Amino acid sequence: MTGFVLFYVGAVLVINGLWLLDRIDGREIVVINLVTAVVSGAVVLHDAFGVGANAGSIRNATLSLLFCTTYLWVAWNRLSGGDGRGLGWFSLFVAVTAVPVASRGFLGAGTGAEFWMAANWLAWAVLWFLYFMLLTMRLHIARIAGWITLLTGIFTGWLPGYLMIEGML
């Protein structure tokens, strides 16, 4: 299911990146954020509460729920007119959480895939920290955040997710 979720994470990050780059209207990102939240939320529920749930799958569900929550929150803010500061503080929480996940991943990496996943967590930590700086600290970095969101979506989500669902990775 990793490829399935990563594919949609890639889609949402690419679309959100285009929004941050002012290429599309904020109302249009609601659908992809909700779809990705539902898709990743279903996997979270399966991993946390499914028949084969174990410590490893519950850990994965816990970490994946950080992303699911982010996408729900983005959609909520677009629908409700929220200013994003709460999401910014949550983004800091995600960024701070992702750093030790990446560190643990690098330290324990025994394969190229494990090293790649650790690098993804590091990229996501940087990305979510940018969201904190953009939304809560109100720094004028939307263009930088947009490009990094777009590129992170392509290289940590869409491309590897596509290769996984095609059986090429």
Side-chain angles (χ1 to χ4, degrees), residues 20-107:
L20 288 168
L21 291 167
D22 205 25
R23 305 287 183 182
I24 57 176
D25 184 76
R27 293 172 292 188
E28 291 196 63
I29 67 169
V30 172
V31 172
I32 192 63
N33 278 274
L34 289 176
V35 166
T36 305
V38 168
V39 165
S40 60
V43 173
V44 164
L45 291 174
H46 174 271
D47 285 355
F49 304 109
V51 175
N54 58 38
S57 69
I58 292 169
R59 176 185 182 271
N60 289 341
T62 301
L63 297 173
S64 295
L65 191 54
L66 295 170
F67 294 86
C68 180
T69 302
T70 299
Y71 307 135
L72 278 174
W73 208 323
V74 168
W76 171 255
N77 283 348
R78 300 307 333 142
L79 291 171
S80 72
D83 70 4
R85 284 182 293 174
L87 176 56
W89 283 110
F90 180 73
S91 296
L92 179 62
F93 177 83
V94 174
V96 168
T97 302
V99 170
V101 173
S103 297
R104 178 180 177 205
F106 283 123
L107 292 173

Side-chain angles (χ1 to χ4, degrees), residues 85 88-89 129 131-140:
R85 284 182 293 174
W89 283 110
F129 185 71
Y131 297 153
F132 165 72
M133 294 174 46
L134 176 68
L135 296 169
T136 302
M137 304 305 293
R138 303 289 188 204
L139 297 182
H140 299 284

Side-chain angles (χ1 to χ4, degrees), residues 5 15-17 32 41 55 60 64 84 105 117-119 122 124 140:
V5 173
I15 298 303
N16 287 348
I32 192 63
N60 289 341
S64 295
M117 187 55 81
L122 186 57
W124 295 328
H140 299 284

